[in-house]
Amino acid sequence: MTDIQSEERGKKQKARTKNKEVEIFTLFPSFHLSISPSGAGTGAPPLQSPSNPQIIAGVDEVGRGALFGPVVAAACILPDEVIDELASCGVRDSKQLSATARSRLALKIRAVAVDCQIGVASVREIDRLNILQASLLAMKRAILKLKVTPDLCLVDGNQRIPNLAIAQETMIKGDARSIQIAAASIVAKVWRDELIVRLAVKYPEYDLTNNKGYGTAKHKLALERCGASVLHRVSFSPCRK
């Protein structure tokens, strides 16, 4: 190989590496960004000074569409230096991962996170408040349990968390855009699935081990035959007697 060919090969390799880094940042930005004076996000604010980075918490919920069990949220703060590593390990929207991959990644996320906490809203709260407000309550509880107070919360979806005394930005499809939110979605999903599997021992007739509380045909048939348990959401029409 000539010196010219070697130089050209080196340039191509650098270009590929740069493109990969840009792709990772686009999909999973670290969000160590400043925010507008009002505390509301305005798109793409300028980067914070490296000497004073913001503490960012990603927040997401799972179980919103289930018929059985609580809605569960997680709030996750990650050190900046693990962002690319987690992206390369496969951290993304929890719905795109297998159960085995989620469990593996949840362990890794918890091991490297600055802080990671779970918040729950009960079935009774879901029926009393409605599922949207209960989901926001679970997210608020997860945030307030954090031992490290974030400067900014990135909240999956388009609904702001009411009465949260911390700056927040909503992000539609946030679990595909922010690795902090994606990490929170994985941790929340694994925690809730493990809870439902434990509850399945007490309520075997609903096939909860397989459906995790969601309204599969087998689950709905069991509701017709056996009625709703005390952990079914009676505000959801399939659970009404």
Side-chain angles (χ1 to χ4, degrees), residues 7-240:
E7 184 178 349
E8 286 297 320
R9 185 174 181 179
K11 287 180 179 178
K12 289 179 181 179
Q13 181 64 36
K14 287 181 180 179
R16 282 194 295 268
T17 301
K18 185 176 181 181
N19 288 339
K20 186 175 181 181
E21 290 172 351
V22 169
E23 181 181 3
I24 290 173
F25 183 80
T26 302
L27 292 174
F28 300 114
S30 66
F31 283 96
H32 283 193
L33 308 176
S34 63
I35 56 176
S36 63
S38 65
T42 56
L47 287 170
Q48 282 277 78
S49 166
S51 62
N52 186 31
Q54 282 192 301
I55 299 174
I56 308 298
V59 190
D60 201 2
E61 53 76 26
V62 297
R64 186 166 171 172
L67 304 180
F68 177 98
V71 62
V72 175
C76 191
I77 300 172
L78 300 173
D80 195 42
E81 60 268 20
V82 306
I83 298 293
D84 288 351
E85 178 187 353
L86 290 178
S88 65
C89 286
V91 172
R92 58 178 62 87
D93 176 5
S94 63
K95 295 184 290 295
Q96 298 179 2
L97 299 168
S98 68
T100 301
R102 283 195 299 265
S103 295
R104 173 178 57 82
L105 290 170
L107 287 173
K108 184 171 184 63
I109 290 163
R110 284 186 174 277
V112 302
V114 173
D115 201 355
C116 191
Q117 298 293 336
I118 293 290
V120 175
S122 69
V123 170
R124 187 170 297 181
E125 287 171 324
I126 292 169
D127 289 337
R128 178 169 58 86
L129 299 172
N130 75 44
I131 186 59
L132 171 59
Q133 294 306 316
S135 297
L136 295 172
L137 177 60
M139 289 193 279
K140 183 177 181 180
R141 286 171 173 166
I143 294 166
L144 295 180
K145 284 173 67 177
L146 289 167
K147 297 177 179 64
V148 178
T149 303
D151 299 307
L152 175 67
C153 294
L154 299 176
V155 182
D156 187 49
N158 62 0
Q159 298 290 324
R160 292 175 63 82
I161 298 171
N163 304 314
L164 181 66
I166 298 172
Q168 59 180 299
E169 289 189 18
T170 58
M171 294 186 69
I172 296 173
K173 296 184 178 179
D175 44 13
R177 298 169 58 196
S178 159
I179 198 165
Q180 287 95 337
I181 294 177
S185 77
I186 290 169
V187 171
K189 174 67 173 168
V190 170
W191 193 95
R192 186 181 186 278
D193 283 358
E194 290 177 351
L195 171 66
I196 300 300
V197 169
R198 291 197 299 271
L199 292 172
V201 176
K202 188 175 181 180
Y203 303 99
E205 60 270 34
Y206 301 106
D207 193 38
L208 298 171
T209 299
N210 292 313
N211 61 49
K212 305 302 186 292
Y214 287 86
T216 61
K218 193 171 182 179
H219 191 175
K220 290 179 179 178
L221 182 60
L223 281 167
E224 292 176 8
R225 290 176 175 173
C226 307
S229 73
V230 294
L231 290 180
H232 277 93
R233 304 172 183 179
V234 294
S235 57
F236 284 38
S237 56
C239 302
R240 295 174 191 151

